[in-house]
Amino acid sequence: MLVRIVAPEHRFGGLSKVCVALVALLAWNLGAAGSILAATTPTATATGTATPTPTSTPTATFTPTGHGSGVLNSTSSPTASPTLTATPTRSATPTRTATPTRTPSATPTIVYNATFTGTVMTGSQPIMGSLVTVYAGNSGGASAIGNGTTNSGGHTSFGIVNPGGSAILYAVASGGNAGPGTNAAIKLMAVLGLGTKFAHSAVINERTSAASLWAMAQFSTASTQIFGPAPGLQNAAATVANLVDVTTGNVSTLIANSANSPSKLNTIADLLAACVSSLGASSSQCSKLFANTTPPGGSAPLDTIAAALDIAHYPASNVPALFNSALGSSSYLPALTTAPTDWTLTLNYTGGGLSEPTDLAVDAAGNIWIANYNNRVTKLGPAGSPLSPATGFIGGGLRESFGIAVDGTGNVWATNQESSSSVNRGLGSVTKLAPNGVVQSGASGYSGGGMDFPVSIAIDANGNVWTANFGDSSVTKLTSTGAPASPALGFSGGGLDFPVGIAIDAFGGAWVANQSANTVSAFAQTGSPISPQSGFMGGGLDLPQAIALDQFGNAWIANFYGDSVTQLNSQGLAVSPDGGYTGGGLTSPGGIAIDGAGNAWIANYHGASISELKGAGGPGGGAPLSPTTGFTGAGILTPFSVAIDSAGNLWVTNFGNNSVTEFVGIAAPLKTPQIGLPHKP
């Protein structure tokens, strides 16, 4: 998924001194669940003429175990043993045996193990009479674990049955009166965190709703169900805290810093507030909101959560009209003063050694690994926090790194365009890092199998490592231990001509984009060429920069000169027209990735934006889904490459300012690391 432009005239001669024109992309019903304690008193047993001693009644005590939590303990005295009070004689009057009395079972009691306090607001105005329900969501679905209704100050407090573990907890406020009267169209939300650590108190308003719904967009339904597989669900929930502080309802420190801006988030909150503070669904404010957020070919939303979710799913739709509807509300500031190009929410990250970042890849936990041209590798956590040192991970031959990939065991592999003159004659190497960043490939990396200026890299299902070698128009294959699996001069033929991008197909073979010849080459798992000697051609190929394969085995190629994308089918035949797919902001496109729905995402190196094209899974494949400007966001500058995580976030390397930008919840989630064709988690 990387891109670089190298002048073809340098095909021969001292490649260690190749003149490189780096334009390339240098790229979630417990119901009333929980434990139910049935305090049932045992029935006394009568013996002979003995008078039973009554059984003691259990007493329940609520013992706090910490802030806002406690456990219900049942304690009871042991049942007394009946005592024989007399030895009967023949002349004695028989004594009637006592008749046991059945003690009714106690009413089952829900064991609340935590307390939640919520305040429902629209801007600074409390919403009274709103039903607040806390849910727990996981991979199997979401269930209500407690609820309460707000008072005149918008406050409510109630017990919840927290299942703990990796469940995500979130609060939904339904209905209520923000002043004008009861409004059934009100639905607001706040993601509280995980069962192991969550906000016991939260403000639920339009801002927390926008932050929560954008971050959880790929796991949310209009019926307020949030669920999905780990770790994507949990990582998405963690992103909410990067946008908003749910304990106060204010923006987060991160989005308020100089590299980011809360204005778009606040504007989205304002356009929801116009409906929330109205008389209801029939009001002009709600009617406009619901009309402008009706998805293509779908039904109009009926409440503000459904409306917000439609915006998150279709961020390029009706942007000016939605912006105008927000102008009537100024509850959240600062807000946008002009209409944006789209309604995506982005976050920009620095640190961890980012220095001219190129390619990036995502591991199984959702960590982001970034190759840096300046001789280092950066690791960011799923929520963007640096996990590598300030210098990045260094050593092991890391030098002018363009490509990066993560294998099935979590090891990280990076290509080094060049190496020291004593290693592989200076013609480059591959460095292998353990998941903790420790070098596994020795001081100089691996350099066998014909490696010659390796610029891109991919891993197959057997753990083999494939590189596209720009220097001598070859492909190298290494085993998982770094041993050569290709000849001393690499695999050749099939139209290879200054290859720059590589991807693995369903059979373990490799597809390669050739920059110089405007062709694509394909190789079997054995390294034998599948493509003809001239390579696969057509479909608008024009200085190809990167390649990705979709779920059907189609190849998608970004064309730097053509401002276009080419699609070839799994047989190498052109699907896209002669000029390729265009529009959607495609401008000097470089890095490319396919999401879980099959849509293509492209970094526009000169357009400072990201484009999205409809995938091949239905009619209209290749049609632009992004606006004419592309999707824009915080810190986008000479974007090199793109990658998609299991939370549905799109990550972009910015070569021009040593940063990484995250488009929050915008893409269909992928199983990571990606090995071979893309798959849903």
Side-chain angles (χ1 to χ4, degrees):
M1 296 184 186
L2 12 146
V3 185
R4 55 175 280 145
I5 295 181
V6 179
E9 60 267 24
H10 296 289
R11 180 191 302 260
F12 305 105
L15 287 173
S16 63
K17 298 181 181 179
V18 156
C19 174
V20 181
L22 297 172
V23 179
L25 306 161
L26 270 171
W28 152 116
N29 176 347
L30 287 179
S35 308
I36 304 296
L37 286 181
T40 305
T41 305
T43 303
T45 303
T47 304
T49 59
T51 301
T53 302
T55 300
S56 60
T57 302
T59 54
T61 60
F62 185 82
T63 306
T65 60
H67 175 66
S69 65
V71 293
L72 189 64
N73 297 316
S74 178
T75 60
S76 61
S77 303
T79 303
S81 299
T83 304
L84 192 63
T85 59
T87 302
T89 63
R90 280 180 289 183
S91 59
T93 301
T95 302
R96 175 177 293 184
T97 299
T99 302
T101 303
R102 183 183 299 274
T103 303
S105 298
T107 301
T109 304
I110 297 174
V111 185
Y112 296 112
N113 55 11
T115 299
F116 174 72
T117 300
T119 302
V120 184
M121 307 282 288
T122 175
S124 60
Q125 175 67 33
I127 301 177
M128 66 177 295
S130 184
L131 177 63
V132 177
T133 304
V134 174
Y135 294 86
N138 56 27
S139 61
S143 301
I145 60 174
N147 61 64
T149 302
T150 59
N151 59 22
S152 59
H155 307 297
T156 184
S157 185
F158 50 88
I160 62 173
V161 186
N162 176 18
S166 61
I168 67 157
L169 305 190
Y170 61 99
V172 175
S174 302
N177 185 347
T182 300
N183 183 350
I186 295 175
K187 272 197 179 176
L188 301 171
M189 176 185 290
V191 170
L192 308 176
L194 302 184
T196 52
K197 184 179 181 180
F198 67 97
H200 288 253
S201 176
V203 173
I204 308 167
N205 60 21
E206 294 89 350
R207 185 189 278 139
T208 64
S209 299
S212 298
L213 287 164
W214 261 246
M216 310 304 299
Q218 303 301 324
F219 305 94
S220 301
T221 70
S223 61
T224 70
Q225 293 282 293
I226 300 180
F227 60 96
L233 180 71
Q234 292 73 22
N235 291 343
T239 302
V240 175
N242 286 350
L243 298 169
V244 71
D245 180 351
V246 296
T247 65
T248 65
N250 295 324
V251 296
S252 71
T253 302
L254 177 64
I255 199 173
N257 71 22
S258 58
N260 294 287
S261 172
S263 296
K264 190 185 289 187
L265 174 63
N266 286 336
T267 302
I268 295 170
D270 277 338
L271 65 89
L272 297 178
C275 176
V276 170
S277 59
S278 73
L279 282 170
S282 61
S283 68
S284 61
Q285 296 91 334
C286 291
S287 295
K288 289 179 181 178
L289 175 64
F290 297 161
N292 289 326
T293 56
T294 301
S299 301
L302 301 176
D303 57 64
T304 51
I305 279 185
L309 194 57
D310 284 339
I311 301 173
H313 287 162
Y314 301 93
S317 295
N318 297 325
V319 175
L322 285 168
F323 174 76
N324 290 334
S325 70
L327 293 177
S329 175
S330 58
S331 299
Y332 300 94
L333 297 172
L336 297 172
T337 56
T338 58
T341 59
D342 57 76
W343 294 113
T344 58
L345 291 179
T346 61
L347 292 163
N348 186 257
Y349 304 98
T350 57
L354 286 168
S355 183
E356 296 187 332
T358 51
D359 200 14
L360 71 174
V362 187
D363 67 20
N367 299 306
I368 315 302
W369 292 84
I370 303 117
N372 294 277
Y373 187 69
N374 286 332
N375 314 337
R376 63 201 67 189
V377 166
T378 296
K379 181 182 181 181
L380 303 181
S385 58
L387 299 181
S388 50
T391 58
F393 296 125
I394 58 177
L398 287 168
R399 185 172 177 176
E400 298 178 8
S401 299
F402 275 100
I404 197 165
V406 180
D407 67 24
T409 61
N411 295 308
V412 179
W413 300 74
T415 60
N416 306 305
Q417 177 187 239
E418 295 189 9
S419 54
S420 66
S421 59
S422 62
V423 177
N424 193 28
R425 297 174 296 145
L427 300 180
S429 65
V430 169
T431 299
K432 178 182 179 182
L433 303 177
N436 62 358
V438 174
V439 173
Q440 302 293 294
S441 51
S444 304
Y446 302 127
S447 55
M451 202 167 291
D452 192 336
F453 276 57
V455 292
S456 60
I457 190 167
I459 313 287
D460 69 24
N462 294 319
N464 298 307
V465 180
W466 298 71
T467 67
N469 301 315
F470 187 85
D472 66 350
S473 298
S474 69
V475 168
T476 290
K477 180 180 180 181
L478 304 177
T479 69
S480 60
T481 63
S486 52
L489 296 179
F491 298 131
S492 58
L496 282 172
D497 199 346
F498 290 99
V500 291
I502 192 166
I504 304 300
D505 65 21
F507 307 101
W511 287 63
V512 183
N514 298 299
Q515 188 179 87
S516 180
N518 295 332
T519 60
V520 169
S521 300
F523 294 84
Q525 187 178 24
T526 61
S528 300
I530 296 174
S531 51
Q533 188 61 36
S534 58
F536 295 132
M537 299 183 291
L541 288 167
D542 193 353
L543 201 72
Q545 298 303 300
I547 187 170
L549 303 184
D550 67 17
Q551 291 85 342
F552 305 100
N554 297 299
W556 296 74
I557 303 97
N559 300 305
F560 191 88
Y561 279 177
D563 292 341
S564 65
V565 168
T566 292
Q567 181 190 353
L568 306 179
N569 67 18
S570 60
Q571 304 302 310
L573 301 177
V575 177
S576 54
D578 289 343
Y581 298 133
T582 59
L586 285 168
T587 307
S588 304
I592 188 168
I594 308 297
D595 70 14
N599 293 335
W601 296 85
I602 306 99
N604 296 305
Y605 189 79
H606 284 159
S609 65
I610 301 301
S611 294
E612 180 189 12
L613 301 181
K614 183 175 174 55
L625 299 177
S626 48
T628 56
T629 57
F631 293 125
T632 60
I636 296 289
L637 184 62
T638 54
F640 188 96
S641 191
V642 291
I644 298 155
D645 65 21
S646 61
N649 302 308
L650 178 79
W651 297 81
V652 186
T653 48
N654 298 303
F655 185 83
N657 61 14
N658 303 329
S659 72
V660 172
T661 296
E662 173 190 18
F663 282 78
V664 178
I666 194 175
L670 275 183
K671 180 181 179 180
T672 59
Q674 183 178 335
I675 306 294
L677 301 185
H679 297 283
K680 296 179 181 179

